[in-house]
Amino acid sequence: MNNAPPWLTQALALVDPDAQRRLVSEHRHELDATVAPAFKGEADRQLRADVRRSLQVAALIGEVAAWRQDDRDLALSLLAEANARAIGLAEYERAIQLYDEATILYRRHGTPVDEARAQVGKVGALAFLGRYAEAVQCWQWAGPILEEHGQWQPLATMTMNLAIMFARKGEDAAALDYFNQAAALYEQLGEAGRAGWLWVQHNRAWVLRNLGQFEASIAACQDARQGLLALGQPTEAARAQQILALTYFVMGRYNEALENLDQVRNVFAADGRQRDALLVDLFTSNCLLQMRRFAEVLDTCRQVRSVFASLGAHDVAAKAILNEGVAYAGLHGFDQALRSLEEARCMFAELGNRPWMASAELEEAAVLRLNGNAAGSLEAAQRCEQVFGALDLPLERAQACLVAAQAAMALGQPEESQAWIERAVSISTGMDVASLLFQGHHLMGTLAVQRGDLAAARQSLQQAIDQLERLRGRLMVEFRADFLEDKQTVYEEMVSLCLQLQDPLAGLEYAERAKSRALVDMLAYRLNLGIEIRDPADLPYVAELRQLREQRDLLYRRWQGGREELKARGADAGGEGWQNIEQDVLALENRITRLWHKLLVRNADYARDAALWRVQTEPIQPYLDHETALLEYYAIGDQLIAFAVTGQEVRVLQLEARLSQVQTLHRLLRLNLEAVPRTPAQRIPRLTANAQALLRQLDDLLIAPFASTVGRGYRRWFIVPHGVLHYLPFHAFHDGQGYLLQRHLVSYLPGASLLRYCLEPRAHGQGLLALGHSYEGHLPYAVDEARAVAAITGGDAFLEDEATPQRLRDLGQEYACIHLATHGDFRPDNSLFSGLALAQQWLTTLDIFGLHLNASLVTLSACQTGRSAIGGGDELLGLMRAFLHAGASSLVLSQWPVEDRSTARLMQAFYTNLVAGQSKVEALSTAQQQFIGEGPAGMEGEVTSHPYFWAPFYLVGDPGRL
């Protein structure tokens, strides 16, 4: 454009489209054949920087064509718009129409080279729509013409588009060959071909990943991304980053995959490329499937399939349907899973996409085994393995081998299963794919156990656990519990194996490696889970989270307050209006949860550190003195075992109790407890007798076996439950003579590895902070309780309107004791929103993660504050975990709804004992024992002796003195 008139140079530099159009219009009589090509170059340049601007320039070219009445200018306008719609907006059907219209115009003018050039973008659009045969026909016609006339740049682009088509079909070897041809064509163009060469590199990385060449794929992505950014093509750089993310995903580097995908999505969304952003969501759903976040995957895939099916992009829609099927299988909806997977497979078959068709069939094979059809599973997996082998797809082939191995094992064919496993492990070892290696070594270990080769079993199970913990270590900490949910069998088998090998210490170590690890990680690495700006890029996430939380709090208080008012009047609290509000609340909570997770993923630097992959258990015995023992329970299927740990030894017992027995007793006990508030006082003694009978059965099953060991000589006990045992009041177990707390001082831990973090000396604040809130008058004794506790300890009390979450945030780190007396709400559906009702707003688990406390003791005197949702790896999700993370050395919590009058008396006695110098566990135990028998002053002993009144409260963490 060195010879361009000054006005054209000025027009090309203008950013304002209206000003640009006015300037061109003023010079319409000077328009010649150079103007439209100049603006076409500008439209192409803007295509990968600002697609909306590219479309505006394309429209201007159309006006130039109208002013000049030149079809060739109009063809350029059509091509510019087609490129923007195909590459920028994923509107492939419309783009193909525009390419065809331009082709017809060039054909009228008898210019075959221009006609061939018009087919370049069409090949890419056809490939994306799965119209592969048409794409090949275009290339076969146009390619030779472009080559004959030395049109190297369009030939290179068309060759790259053809390579992308083969990659989409899963024919990666052919795709790699065409990518290499395209790269060579761009290279011979020198600097003019630099951008195209970079595009080839990031697309070529896609194929290299599929072929298992991960390091080469990563290098190609990084080179392409840096080069494209230097050329001012941020959206193309984002595409390279997207492929990098997918490579990280295959390698098991899940957090890096999620972090990169989120960054890519932001780039596309900012440029108005909403369909590209939605496609990123589909890729993200692959990661979320590994985290077992199935509901989220289903939401995403329904949206993706709807949008892309309407665009005619049936291969993308089919991939979304395939992910839906996998999600349904994860939720044990096997019939729905098979329907979705069959639909996806049929769609891929119609498109002629063999590898994706086989991928859908392989997922069907996995579901068939889970649904009891192992023979059908094996047959399908064998077919898939042959397809993937013929197409040279090693990752998919290894996956097929593992599905076949599991099916053969289910059919009682150990030799065939072993052969399939060895093939899978051999392939996976060459690529170092942790997810496949975990499955392979686990299956090897299981087979070794079955044939009695315990040494080989231990080696294989150890290798499996190493790979599993490597994957787990690559995750943001809040995703780890869900990830481990379906992978506990490997730990159970290893614990069982250690017991067979008479190695109880190793068994205890693996039991600990299996449970409550996320909280240990939070404490060990001092992870910050608060909603805070750690980087300027965090600002929009934090701002949106704060806005959403304010909306949720207002809506939730309206919903809760309205329901309470209706209940008080005896009216229907479940009407349609309140149900609508409830659905709005749940929708907001889901948005908050997902956005918070994105913020945490962005700041999970620890997930990149290879040194943190392997779980390190903390020592236990050094923290147990001569009067203290620790009992840790662990479930292997329905079998319960227990480790008795003292400073001198570790013993293990296989209990006669079955987990199913304990679950039944727990249900009966809960029914008894729930009946107490509705039962007249004169009938309470009968319920007490029934409760004691149930508690005695639990004592016989879970405590009596230790009578001859830690039952004697060890006054203080730490109880580490497992699974449903977390919901049992061990301290209230009855041996026929009395309750356990009358024989031992009982405190609890979510996991034994937390002992160190709770007991190690640390600096605490001073005095007591009490917040009391009556929950709009529903709990009048809560305010009296907070006032009395502050008076007993000489602490500070903030009541009713002064008892705000902000007060706790501002003052909490200054106090050694924090007492919260109010209404509590346990949310098993989303523990992030379990909370305490304070003035102005709720204090939820999410809020507590952002607190910074120096407390020796936090008492949550409210209903069910100690109830937690039990996640994968026996992770306890709720208020307990959040307060321990925030800095509490110990907590007093409640297991079930509490009566506020008796709770106020119990808490006054507890703090009186603390002030008298008793340890925390002694003070609580002494206060509880006052209810057994005559009861506290002013209350009926026969009534309050029922465990309902005194047993809900228990101590977690450091049992020592303040």
Side-chain angles (χ1 to χ4, degrees), residues 555-575:
L555 204 57
Y556 191 77
R557 292 185 75 85
R558 178 185 166 200
W559 175 54
Q560 286 283 70
R563 285 175 63 88
E564 292 293 336
E565 182 180 348
L566 287 171
K567 287 179 181 178
R569 299 203 311 260
D572 179 17

Side-chain angles (χ1 to χ4, degrees), residues 73-116:
D73 288 355
L74 178 57
L76 287 176
S77 172
L78 293 170
L79 290 177
E81 182 182 352
N83 288 338
R85 298 207 176 276
I87 298 171
L89 299 176
E91 296 176 2
Y92 299 107
E93 292 283 6
R94 177 59 180 150
I96 289 170
Q97 293 174 3
L98 294 167
Y99 286 128
D100 286 342
E101 290 175 21
T103 300
I104 291 170
L105 291 175
Y106 285 130
R107 189 173 297 155
R108 288 176 183 169
H109 284 272
T111 53
V113 172
D114 289 332
E115 189 178 345

Side-chain angles (χ1 to χ4, degrees), residues 11 101 156 215 217 660 914 926:
E101 290 175 21
E215 295 304 324
S217 177
S660 53
L914 282 175
T926 302

Side-chain angles (χ1 to χ4, degrees), residues 720-791:
V720 182
H722 188 250
V724 70
L725 275 65
H726 284 291
Y727 297 148
L728 297 177
F730 280 80
H731 57 286
F733 285 3
H734 202 279
D735 66 353
Q737 303 298 318
Y739 296 100
L740 186 60
L741 62 75
Q742 294 174 305
R743 310 191 302 273
H744 299 278
L745 296 173
V746 180
S747 54
Y748 297 77
L749 288 168
S753 292
L754 290 164
L755 199 58
R756 167 192 164 188
Y757 300 101
C758 293
L759 295 187
E760 281 190 340
R762 64 170 111 162
H764 293 301
Q766 299 292 322
L768 177 138
L769 170 67
L771 300 182
H773 191 267
S774 68
Y775 190 49
E776 310 305 329
H778 295 292
L779 302 172
Y781 287 98
V783 174
D784 294 339
E785 175 189 323
R787 185 184 294 112
V789 164

Side-chain angles (χ1 to χ4, degrees), residues 186-187 189-199 223 226-228 231:
Y186 279 124
E187 276 190 300
L189 290 169
E191 191 59 32
R194 173 66 176 166
W197 185 86
L198 291 169
W199 302 338
D223 288 346
Q226 292 169 6
L228 290 165
L231 291 177

